[in-house]
Amino acid sequence: MAGNDLWKYCEAKEAEDVLRSFHLLEGTGVSDEKYLACLYAVSNHTEEHYHTAVIQKKNGGMRKLSVPGTLLRTIQRNIVKNVLCERSVSQYATAYRKKASILENARPHVGAEMVMKLDIKDFFDCITFQMVYQYAFPAIYYPPSIRMLLTSLCCRNDRLSQGAPSSPAISNLAMRSFDEYMGAWCGERQIQYTRYCDDLTFSGTFDQKEVKQKVRNFLHVLGFELNRKKTRIQFQSHRQTVTGLVVNEKMQVSREYRNQLRAEIYYCQKYGVSSHLNKMGNPAWMREDEPDVKRYLQYLLGKINYVLAVNPHDDLFCKKREEISLMVREISTQNNTHIS
């Protein structure tokens, strides 16, 4: 039975009950009496609920985000939590889903002869209102009025907004057909494929031009295009990285990252954390003109745990984790004693 037929005889009261069951205003303080009025008021004027924010990219460039205000942001989070949470996404999508991580994205490509990385240009901005309506809120699950409302709540200027909490989950749904097709096509050719947001990774032994053309053609059908400037080909004879992790022989955090972390730990242990932070002169680690020693050590622990998540058998960082953890516990004990 087609989705439209399923909801053909759905009355307004039934549609309202379905909409209320989503609890989209949970945590907003809006009363039940104003539930529908609030949702439709926001959906009809979403532009008024966004502001522009600019953040710096890792490469030094700037990224412009459309960030929703508190009310719309809460609604979008509830859409993810109460509406989209049960929708399955492709196994090849390794971002924005449970148990997904850069490790899952990198692992299939370990030890490959060749790694090819492609990038989708203006990814979120290319996911249109119609795509969200079709793929995120399909007719088989929702009546037309609810599909339109939910889509309106998740889009800005008829596009998916980069900066909205609902956009990542929706992007995986919009890309599911691509992921499944490319995954099957690559599987037949012993090519490994994963997608982490707008980053596409292929590894194995294959014709680069053939794969790239296949990707370009399918993306074009969906309304996307490749960013030609970001195509990367990496061979075993050189360092191969996937989402920041080295994958030549085993998954590993880069040597530069590990060396820098070892140096930070060394200075803390040799000169003392406070002395090290004072020499750094970074105001981010100061609290009321005093070094925030505990917070900095917890930051180091986070970096150590990241290294060990990638390579749990790194003996040096296993030892350093114990040593830094002990320093954190000692500071906590001192603070508690001082308070008492």
Side-chain angles (χ1 to χ4, degrees):
M1 180 181 291
N4 290 332
D5 293 332
L6 180 66
W7 297 104
K8 184 176 180 180
Y9 302 104
C10 177
E11 298 180 355
K13 182 61 172 65
E14 293 173 317
E16 178 182 333
D17 290 342
V18 171
L19 188 57
R20 287 184 177 277
S21 71
F22 296 151
H23 305 289
L24 299 184
L25 293 176
E26 183 179 37
T28 65
V30 176
S31 65
D32 289 342
E33 293 77 12
K34 296 181 179 180
Y35 184 89
L36 292 179
C38 178
L39 288 178
Y40 281 104
V42 173
S43 69
N44 289 332
H45 303 281
T46 52
E47 182 65 27
E48 299 175 6
H49 293 268
Y50 283 94
H51 65 273
T52 301
V54 179
I55 62 172
Q56 188 170 5
K57 299 180 182 178
K58 290 183 179 180
N59 62 9
M62 306 303 291
R63 175 179 284 116
K64 184 181 292 186
L65 303 179
S66 292
V67 181
T70 302
L71 176 58
L72 181 55
R73 182 168 63 249
T74 301
I75 293 172
Q76 291 171 342
R77 285 175 175 166
N78 286 331
I79 289 175
V80 175
K81 175 185 174 183
N82 302 328
V83 181
L84 299 177
C85 62
E86 298 301 324
R87 300 285 305 283
S88 61
V89 300
S90 173
Q91 62 178 316
Y92 304 102
T94 58
Y96 312 138
R97 63 175 177 81
K98 291 181 180 179
K99 298 182 180 180
S101 69
I102 60 173
L103 277 71
E104 295 305 310
N105 189 59
R107 186 172 287 116
H109 308 290
V110 172
E113 180 176 328
M114 178 175 64
V115 174
M116 181 170 72
K117 300 190 291 186
L118 306 176
D119 180 86
I120 302 175
K121 186 178 180 180
D122 300 328
F123 180 59
F124 286 102
D125 196 50
C126 288
I127 300 177
T128 64
F129 187 99
Q130 183 59 38
M131 292 173 69
V132 177
Y133 185 79
Q134 178 179 351
Y135 297 116
F137 309 111
I140 192 170
Y141 295 127
Y142 316 99
S145 60
I146 291 181
R147 296 177 69 196
M148 186 63 68
L149 174 66
L150 293 175
T151 303
S152 298
L153 290 168
C154 294
C155 291
R156 182 188 188 188
N157 295 330
D158 294 333
R159 303 278 173 172
L160 208 56
S161 168
Q162 185 174 8
S166 51
S167 294
I170 291 174
S171 71
N172 277 342
L173 296 172
M175 290 295 291
R176 176 164 181 158
S177 61
F178 174 87
D179 289 335
E180 292 298 313
Y181 177 83
M182 285 307 308
W185 187 86
C186 288
E188 293 173 356
R189 294 159 179 79
Q190 287 75 54
I191 303 170
Q192 297 296 321
Y193 162 68
T194 60
R195 180 181 61 82
Y196 193 90
C197 187
D198 55 357
D199 294 325
L200 314 177
T201 305
F202 303 84
S203 66
T205 303
F206 53 87
D207 184 328
Q208 305 166 25
K209 293 183 178 179
E210 179 188 22
V211 174
K212 192 172 181 180
Q213 188 61 44
K214 196 72 176 178
V215 172
R216 183 185 291 112
N217 290 344
F218 200 154
L219 287 178
H220 180 73
V221 171
L222 294 174
F224 298 99
E225 64 176 298
L226 288 176
N227 188 335
R228 297 182 180 181
K229 296 180 180 180
K230 291 190 176 182
T231 297
R232 298 288 183 271
I233 309 293
Q234 302 172 333
F235 295 95
Q236 265 284 338
S237 56
H238 295 80
R239 186 167 69 172
Q240 298 169 311
T241 61
V242 177
T243 43
L245 299 178
V246 179
V247 296
N248 288 68
E249 297 178 0
K250 63 179 180 180
M251 281 200 302
Q252 182 68 284
V253 177
S254 71
R255 182 180 291 108
E256 293 83 358
Y257 187 98
R258 287 179 283 131
N259 287 344
Q260 176 63 34
L261 179 54
R262 275 197 293 264
E264 290 187 71
I265 296 171
Y266 171 79
Y267 290 131
C268 285
Q269 294 181 323
K270 181 175 178 63
Y271 301 109
V273 183
S274 293
S275 177
H276 172 55
L277 291 178
N278 282 323
K279 287 181 179 180
M280 286 175 61
N282 187 341
W285 300 115
M286 304 299 287
R287 182 182 59 183
E288 297 179 356
D289 298 326
E290 290 292 330
D292 195 339
V293 172
K294 183 177 180 180
R295 186 163 64 89
Y296 181 71
L297 289 175
Q298 290 171 332
Y299 158 79
L300 290 182
L301 270 179
K303 298 184 74 172
I304 293 171
N305 286 331
Y306 169 58
V307 172
L308 292 176
V310 179
N311 181 12
H313 305 295
D314 190 313
D315 292 336
L316 184 145
F317 281 107
C318 284
K319 179 181 179 182
K320 293 305 176 184
R321 178 168 61 183
E322 294 179 2
E323 293 172 355
I324 299 298
S325 296
L326 178 60
M327 293 170 70
V328 172
R329 290 196 295 271
E330 288 175 347
I331 291 173
S332 298
T333 300
Q334 292 171 4
N335 289 343
N336 291 336
T337 302
H338 179 71
I339 292 174
S340 299

